[in-house]
Amino acid sequence: MNVKEANQIVQDLISSGDVLDAALDLSELTNASGLRLPDEIGTLYLNGLITAKGLILPKRVYCELYLSGITSAEGLALPKSVGDCLFLESLESAVGLTLPEDLGGLDLSGLTNAVGLKLPERIGISLWLNGLRNADGLLLPSDVQNIYLNGLSSPKALKLPNNFEGEIELNGLTTAEGLILPSKLKRVSLDGLLTAEGLILPSQLETADLNGLTTGVHLSLPEGFSGYLLLAGLPLTEKESLRKRYPKLEDKIK
């Protein structure tokens, strides 16, 4: 697809009057120079672009914006608002990246470090940073529902928002030593842990996914805990032992 063909597709869409409801897929386009996009659009796919050179994006994307092929933030001017989610999974560095303040979700799973990363204070639903190998310099939003940090093997330097109430995945962690989970957390997934040594679970948890545990030694539950424990890797004898220790959770230890 060349720019002339892409512009014709855009014009046809504008003429149809369905711009705000449409999912415009221009992923076959590899060069955005000369591309004329509307100021507002529903969903936009531009996954064929590797750089933002010549790219002028809409001011507002109501649903999702896919820029999954872009590797550098150089010259990337993002919309002021992305309603559902912004996908930048191939971005190799956050240096020079300016994110929208109005953002429903964000996927930056290609980043291996947080250098230059400035996240908005609020992300409406989910934040994916599965490529991060360490949490040095990472400042997470104070208002977000789900956080995915499955690339971390250690909780060192990880500071989770104190008021975080949603779901967090940390399936890459091999140790819980130093992990501080928010007191109002609803769901946590820690599938990579083989032992619960150092793990302190919040009492308000609704679900703790600990399917990687191979032993129940060191697993201790806080007073008032009434959530589900997912322990698929635990031997049946140890599950039964836990059920006897916590009889009120007999049906919730899976």
Side-chain angles (χ1 to χ4, degrees):
M1 180 187 293
N2 57 42
V3 171
K4 183 178 179 180
E5 293 170 330
N7 281 334
Q8 186 59 57
I9 293 172
V10 172
Q11 288 305 310
D12 290 344
L13 179 61
I14 293 173
S15 298
S16 73
D18 294 330
V19 175
L20 301 187
D21 297 321
L24 178 60
D25 192 346
L26 300 175
S27 290
E28 293 182 19
L29 194 66
T30 57
N31 187 336
S33 295
L35 179 63
R36 297 187 297 274
L37 293 167
D39 286 343
E40 297 183 332
I41 197 167
T43 296
L44 179 60
Y45 297 83
L46 289 167
N47 291 327
L49 300 179
I50 298 174
T51 75
K53 184 178 179 181
L55 178 61
I56 302 175
L57 288 164
K59 295 177 182 177
R60 183 171 186 178
V61 176
Y62 283 86
C63 296
E64 296 169 335
L65 174 58
Y66 292 84
L67 297 167
S68 300
I70 288 183
T71 59
S72 170
E74 184 179 356
L76 180 59
L78 291 166
K80 294 180 179 179
S81 172
V82 178
D84 285 349
C85 193
L86 170 61
F87 294 89
L88 283 165
E89 310 100 302
S90 297
L91 199 68
E92 297 172 353
S93 170
V95 175
L97 178 65
T98 301
L99 292 165
E101 287 298 322
D102 183 10
L103 193 55
L106 178 63
D107 192 339
L108 289 170
S109 290
L111 295 182
T112 57
N113 63 67
V115 175
L117 180 58
K118 297 179 181 179
L119 295 168
E121 291 186 5
R122 181 183 183 276
I123 294 178
I125 303 174
S126 299
L127 172 63
W128 289 270
L129 290 166
N130 287 323
L132 289 188
R133 295 294 176 260
N134 64 74
D136 293 339
L138 177 62
L139 295 177
L140 291 165
S142 57
D143 187 357
V144 62
Q145 293 183 31
N146 308 305
I147 299 174
Y148 303 94
L149 290 164
N150 291 316
L152 298 181
S153 59
S154 166
K156 183 181 178 182
L158 178 61
K159 297 179 181 179
L160 298 171
N162 292 331
N163 59 344
F164 183 67
E165 299 181 8
E167 172 184 357
I168 186 163
E169 284 190 6
L170 293 162
N171 288 325
L173 292 189
T174 56
T175 175
E177 291 288 350
L179 177 63
I180 301 175
L181 295 171
S183 61
K184 296 181 179 179
L185 190 67
K186 292 293 186 288
R187 179 184 172 92
V188 64
S189 185
L190 294 161
D191 274 357
L193 293 183
L194 300 180
T195 170
E197 187 173 2
L199 178 62
I200 301 174
L201 294 173
S203 60
Q204 295 186 35
L205 266 183
E206 294 177 358
T207 303
D209 186 339
L210 302 170
N211 282 321
L213 291 188
T214 56
T215 174
V217 176
H218 303 299
L219 180 57
S220 179
L221 301 178
E223 185 178 349
F225 183 90
S226 61
Y228 284 88
L229 277 178
L230 307 184
L231 299 164
L234 211 61
L236 290 176
T237 53
E238 294 207 40
K239 281 188 186 179
E240 287 304 319
S241 176
L242 276 174
R243 289 176 179 129
K244 289 178 181 178
R245 282 170 56 194
Y246 302 102
K248 292 182 179 180
L249 300 177
E250 183 175 1
D251 297 332
K252 292 187 174 184
I253 296 175
K254 305 292 185 180

